[in-house]
Amino acid sequence: MDSAIQGKKWTLQYPELGTSPVPVEATISPGYFERERRNVFKCSWLNIATSSEIPEPGDYIVRELEILGTSVLLVRGKDGRVRGFHNVCKHRGNILAKACSGKANSFVCGFHGWAFDTTGTLVHVPDEDQFHDLNKSDFGLTPIEAAEWNGFVFASLKPRETLGEALGEWGEQFAHYPFGEMRPVGHYTTSVRVNWKVFMVAFLECYHVPRLHRRIVPDAATGEQNPLCHLLSVRLQGRHRSCSVYGNPNHVPSPAEGLAFKYGPTVIQGEKAKSAKPNGVNPENNANWAFDMNGIFPNLILHVGNGFFYKLVFWPQAVDRTRWDVELYMSPASNAGERISQEFSKILTRDLYREDLSTVESIQTGLASGGLSHFPLSDQELLVRHTFRVIDDAVRFG
Ligand code: FES
């Protein structure tokens, strides 16, 4: 046995990942970023929205995908199906839908008034007789692939496989978690000067919790039995990855948290009825489980608990800039007490994420400084190692 991994249980479970330090190049090189654009983002399924954001026919959402140099429009048709298009008028290229989201029976270009219905068909051209042999059926919106899975809407410019194939074993595990029954209770978005992978992997390890989050959650994720917040279990599933995170059973809630948990689930303690574990989570039935961290290739993270989940999407804008969209989802509140409980979770999340944000730009500065060429990773950072490995495989081999 390699002496470097002796006693390192997650690395022992997945020895194929090795133990080598990760080259910094993947986080600072413009050339590497270009290859990510071509070999990762152009051909992958990307999470654009949740189904509950566009529940009714005519509901639509627009997303600017800077790394792909395009704006995409996803709209639910009268038949209930979500279709995706380049958000570009087929007359002379004007961006079609300008709002981030809305409801429409048709999309009318603001330049000359060409109109497209929710299937992307060109249905009206003002002064049509002045065109030369214009066949409207040749000028529908350019489609992209779009598909729904268990409450999420994904799109891809050039998929190499179906969404189900792409989600694979991870998708099967979570196929029946009630994602679609929950609604957003908090939403934060920001653009940060950091590489998207550097940013993303900060949410795939707990090694930083005892130090960085010692003020906000001093004893929720650490305790006598697990003082350094070691992971409870780890699962690598093709290009996706998942782990279960410890919750201290002897955690002493603050007065505000105690009040919140009296009325509903919180992101620290989950549902009161812990026996009602939803489908998919904590598959090893670890005791003292808090939530699962899931990294879904390439840029989606879902932190999934009992009664809540977080959706974190990391959109590369440049090699050293990332737009971050994060949403906390919980079951709709049925009374004022539950609403108070949700507000507590929302504010706690804000405070935790501000602590996470306090490090990432300085990390990027450090990585780009020339002060290090590689970074070492511990057994507790196996999901970080896996993230860099699967992206690197895609960059190199397509
Ligand atoms: Fe859209 Fe002319 S560019 S109608």
Side-chain angles (χ1 to χ4, degrees):
M1 182 188 299
D2 182 344
S3 61
I5 63 173
Q6 231 166 4
K8 311 292 192 304
K9 61 181 179 176
W10 310 129
T11 310
L12 276 171
Q13 199 171 306
Y14 299 102
E16 65 275 16
L17 288 181
T19 57
S20 303
V22 175
V24 164
E25 187 208 1
T27 67
I28 58 170
S29 159
Y32 197 94
F33 185 73
E34 280 307 310
R35 294 198 293 277
E36 288 178 338
R37 183 195 308 277
R38 195 171 56 240
N39 291 350
V40 175
F41 283 88
K42 200 163 191 175
C43 47
S44 294
W45 285 97
L46 305 171
N47 176 250
I48 302 294
T50 51
S51 301
S52 62
E53 290 178 89
I54 47 173
E56 304 290 337
D59 290 343
Y60 71 89
I61 197 149
V62 170
R63 287 279 185 269
E64 308 302 322
L65 306 185
E66 287 95 337
I67 190 164
L68 297 175
T70 192
S71 167
V72 297
L73 165 67
L74 284 104
V75 55
R76 192 177 294 280
K78 287 180 184 149
D79 56 0
R81 183 180 146 202
V82 175
R83 293 176 178 82
F85 305 99
H86 284 275
N87 182 26
V88 175
C89 174
K90 291 296 280 290
H91 177 215
R92 279 166 51 195
N94 190 30
I95 293 295
L96 185 61
K98 297 285 171 70
C100 297
S101 61
K103 193 175 190 72
N105 290 322
S106 63
F107 299 93
V108 181
C109 179
F111 198 0
H112 309 97
W114 282 28
F116 304 84
D117 71 13
T118 56
T119 68
T121 305
L122 175 61
V123 291
H124 178 65
V125 173
D127 214 2
E128 186 176 345
D129 291 346
Q130 290 295 304
F131 282 88
H132 311 284
D133 303 321
L134 181 76
N135 184 349
K136 289 209 287 295
S137 64
D138 292 338
F139 291 92
L141 296 178
T142 302
I144 63 170
E145 294 294 327
E148 288 182 275
W149 173 87
N150 193 16
F152 295 92
V153 180
F154 288 80
S156 178
L157 293 194
K158 221 173 176 180
R160 294 182 172 143
E161 55 199 344
T162 66
L163 176 60
E165 289 165 348
L167 293 175
E169 187 189 335
W170 182 89
E172 288 168 22
Q173 183 187 329
F174 279 92
H176 302 292
Y177 183 91
F179 291 114
E181 294 172 19
M182 300 196 197
R183 294 293 177 268
V185 300
H187 178 211
Y188 302 104
T189 188
T190 185
S191 177
V192 182
R193 194 185 57 76
V194 62
N195 177 266
W196 68 281
K197 301 182 299 299
V198 173
F199 198 177
M200 184 169 73
V201 297
F203 300 90
L204 287 174
E205 50 94 351
C206 292
Y207 182 36
H208 70 279
V209 170
R211 179 70 193 173
L212 184 63
H213 297 309
R214 63 191 184 282
R215 300 177 199 87
I216 307 282
V217 283
D219 71 346
T222 54
E224 240 172 61
Q225 299 169 339
N226 190 351
L228 296 173
C229 198
H230 281 181
L231 302 175
L232 297 175
S233 52
V234 167
R235 300 164 290 280
L236 303 185
Q237 296 158 311
R239 287 176 298 177
H240 315 303
R241 63 216 77 99
S242 179
C243 66
S244 294
V245 176
Y246 174 78
N248 179 8
N250 301 315
H251 160 61
V252 179
S254 67
E257 185 196 335
L259 184 68
F261 192 56
K262 185 174 166 187
Y263 293 111
T266 67
V267 292
I268 290 185
Q269 299 189 64
E271 286 280 4
K272 274 179 175 296
K274 298 226 176 195
S275 57
K277 180 174 81 79
N279 282 310
V281 295
N282 188 18
E284 293 87 3
N285 287 315
N286 297 292
N288 303 325
W289 169 82
F291 65 96
D292 288 345
M293 299 197 292
N294 300 276
I296 296 100
F297 185 90
N299 65 333
L300 170 66
I301 286 183
L302 296 173
H303 286 177
V304 184
N306 191 351
F308 68 92
F309 76 91
Y310 289 100
K311 181 166 84 78
L312 298 81
V313 193
F314 300 81
W315 292 110
Q317 296 174 297
V319 63
D320 61 353
R321 182 159 288 279
T322 303
R323 179 163 50 84
W324 187 43
D325 289 326
V326 54
E327 282 174 309
L328 168 61
Y329 281 75
M330 302 180 96
S331 296
S334 58
N335 56 52
E338 287 179 7
R339 191 71 194 82
I340 288 170
S341 158
Q342 292 183 348
E343 278 300 305
F344 166 81
S345 290
K346 183 172 136 187
I347 299 307
L348 182 87
T349 298
R350 179 201 64 187
D351 293 347
L352 280 169
Y353 285 165
R354 282 168 69 94
E355 288 187 331
D356 289 308
L357 284 165
S358 74
T359 66
V360 291
E361 291 197 339
S362 79
I363 293 170
Q364 189 68 28
T365 300
L367 291 170
S369 70
L372 70 166
S373 61
H374 293 72
F375 47 86
L377 293 170
S378 80
D379 197 44
Q380 292 298 315
E381 296 165 292
L382 194 83
L383 269 60
V384 177
R385 183 180 295 287
H386 180 259
T387 303
F388 278 94
R389 170 63 67 85
V390 295
I391 299 291
D392 198 61
D393 285 349
V395 162
R396 286 175 195 284
F397 309 117

